[in-house]
Each structure stands twice: as C-alpha cells, then as structure tokens.
Amino acid sequence: MRDTYIPVTSAASGIGQKIASDVFALCIQVVNLCFVGEPQSGQWVLVDAGMPKSAPDIAAAAEKRFGSGARPKAIVLTHGHFDHVGAVIDLADRWDVPVYAHELEKPYLDGTSDYPEPDPGVEGGLVAKLSPLFPNGGIDLGSRLQTLPADGTVPFMPGWRWIHTPGHSPGHVSLFREQDRVLIAGDAFVTVRQDSLYKVLTQMTEITGPPRYFTTDWEAAREAVEKLEALRPSIAVTGHGLPVSGEELAEGLARLVRDFDSIALPDYGRYVPERSVQTDSAGQGDHALF
C-alpha cells in the first residue's frame, strides 16, 4: 500500500512558489515539499518527499532548479506519514543521500512500527471518512536513516534549527530560520482544512490545526501551535495548503492559538479527549460535509 499511487490531487499540484531566494515550495498532488538551497548550486536539501510514486516529478523539479544531475546533500523529514515520505526511499537510493528525522519518528522509518490507524470517525468532512484508504504502515530506510542532531541544528542547512512539534506524530518537527523568520511547519498546522474534500481540491486558505484523521495527541498539538506562534514567523510553508505570510499569518496563528478548541480540536473522534460538544442555535454540531 505504501507504494500505491493515491488518486487525489488539488488545483495547486505541480505549482511551485519562491519563499526566499533559497527556499522553493512545490505542491505534489495535495502535499508540499521544499527545496532549500540557492538555485544552480550543489548545496541544497530536500525537506519532505511527497506522495507515493512521485519520485520522477520531484527529481525533475530538482534538476530544473539546481541543474542536470542535481543531487541534494540530504533529505530532512518533518515526519513519516505516507504523504511526506512517499518518494523518500526511491529518492534516497537515486541520490545516495542520508535521511534525517527526529529520534521519536525513527520507529516508523526503520521498519519497527506502524502509525496508529487513521480515524474515519473523527469530526470532519469526506476526506476524513476516506482516511482508512490511506496507508499507515511504517517504512524501512535502513542505514540511510539518521537522527537529527540533539543541539537543534539541521544538517547542511546553516542558520536553520529544528523544533520538536509533536501531536500530529510523536517525532514531528518544524524548521525555522531566525534570520528571515521563514518557517517550514510540516503538519503542526496547515493552511487548508485537510479533512474537507472541497477545500483540499480548491486549496481554500484557512489557517487551522493538523489533519484530524492522523492526529493522535491533541494536547501536544495545541502546545506545538503555541510554540510556533511564539516565533512570530514572517512566512510559513505548511504540509498542506498555500504558503501564508505577513498579517494573514500573524493573525491566523494568533486566532488558532486563542481558539484552538473551536478551530482545530474535533468535537469527537477516537483520539479526541472528552469535552462538551459545542452546538449552534439549532442544537446541531458544526460538521464539515465536504
């Protein structure tokens, strides 16, 4: 299942966006990855590795940006869910490079463990209901897998630091550069409601919490959002949705921190802590149908 093409895409698929002179975000179907390094240089890193079967597209985009035969110094993973590691084995083998991840994410990347099953019963739209179709199995990167340095630095990415932002997964990390306050957030928060099929397809921008059907620790997810908001990022690339910057980002993150329960936390679900359900004037909970 890990190597099976997932037939879902969005209006942003194949579109790249310059975030900084040396940061380029690319959408592959419904998930974003980043090339970090100056164009046409041999000093660059791939952050996350897209959907299954996407290795040829990612390699082609790399050559377009960095030149024929382009090969990164490493691949860095925000976490190991299928849509962020879909092409990682193929690319690591093609390029013969190490893959870095947080210590707590290693069991899902060394063949030891599978992730908890996605929750189709979580409050949300159609994508959440379809989530049992998404693979939750771990992968085995073998000797290529390396642990991110304990001092917070990111190999081959000078000026960047990794920040532990668990909740969506135990070893989830986000990457931040103080110099220009660029944030690569992974799925700690996203800018599209990932459980709503309509919003995924149209890429309707909305700063919200991590994808609900794969998030297993909501208190940790809340703390991760608070940690990232405190950084006051100038621009953020998230795992899903369009990059957001400036006031839209600042106000959206502040609102997400302030109203996390109503914006991000589902009313019900397998991994959701018990709480009273919020209802509207008709006595019905707020449910995203699509």
Side-chain angles (χ1 to χ4, degrees):
M1 184 70 173
R2 268 285 182 184
D3 296 324
T4 302
Y5 175 78
I6 308 296
V8 60
T9 192
S10 72
S13 184
I15 296 175
Q17 185 166 336
K18 178 181 174 181
I19 307 302
S21 66
D22 62 344
V23 180
F24 187 79
L26 176 67
C27 179
I28 297 288
Q29 294 178 246
V30 295
V31 66
N32 299 317
L33 52 88
C34 287
F35 299 106
V36 180
E38 292 292 346
Q40 302 302 316
S41 77
Q43 303 291 321
W44 63 281
V45 170
L46 176 68
V47 179
D48 284 342
M51 296 282 277
K53 301 295 186 182
S54 64
D57 292 336
I58 296 171
E63 294 204 352
K64 182 177 181 180
R65 182 164 179 81
F66 299 104
S68 179
R71 174 176 170 269
K73 294 295 184 181
I75 299 171
V76 174
L77 299 176
T78 61
H79 62 300
H81 285 155
F82 79 98
D83 51 341
H84 293 257
V85 302
V88 70
I89 292 177
D90 290 344
L91 291 173
D93 287 346
R94 175 195 293 245
W95 290 328
D96 189 23
V97 295
V99 180
Y100 289 89
H102 190 277
E103 177 73 28
L104 294 178
E105 209 70 4
K106 288 180 69 175
Y108 312 108
L109 300 170
D110 66 7
T112 302
S113 299
D114 292 339
Y115 282 102
E117 293 182 0
D119 181 10
V122 73
E123 181 201 1
L126 184 58
V127 176
K129 305 301 181 280
L130 295 174
S131 63
L133 300 176
F134 302 154
N136 67 299
I139 62 172
D140 187 358
L141 284 163
S143 61
R144 297 197 187 280
L145 181 61
Q146 304 292 320
T147 303
L148 285 166
D151 64 2
T153 58
V154 185
F156 308 106
M157 291 176 61
W160 291 82
R161 60 187 171 101
W162 64 263
I163 301 161
H164 189 205
T165 48
H168 187 57
S169 73
H172 189 288
V173 297
S174 303
L175 309 180
F176 183 67
R177 183 166 61 186
E178 187 76 34
Q179 175 186 344
D180 52 6
R181 315 194 79 74
V182 174
L183 174 66
I184 300 174
D187 284 358
F189 69 92
V190 296
T191 61
V192 65
R193 273 288 302 274
Q194 194 61 19
D195 55 290
S196 167
L197 181 60
Y198 174 75
K199 293 180 179 180
V200 168
L201 295 177
T202 61
Q203 295 290 283
M204 184 182 296
T205 299
E206 176 183 0
I207 294 178
T208 188
R212 291 177 165 185
Y213 43 84
F214 265 137
T215 300
T216 54
D217 186 337
W218 283 97
E219 190 52 43
R222 180 200 306 274
E223 293 171 1
V225 168
E226 291 171 350
K227 192 182 298 185
L228 296 180
E229 192 271 340
L231 296 174
R232 302 293 189 266
S234 63
I235 188 167
V237 180
T238 63
H240 305 275
L242 300 175
V244 175
S245 62
E247 279 191 25
E248 182 180 16
L249 175 60
E251 293 175 1
L253 275 179
R255 186 181 309 111
L256 181 58
V257 167
R258 183 181 65 245
D259 301 326
F260 189 87
D261 283 4
S262 60
I263 294 174
L265 182 65
D267 282 340
Y268 52 83
R270 182 185 305 165
Y271 306 115
V272 179
E274 289 188 13
R275 66 170 183 156
S276 58
V277 176
Q278 301 296 314
T279 59
D280 58 24
S281 58
Q284 300 296 318
D286 178 22
H287 308 297
L289 296 179
F290 299 103

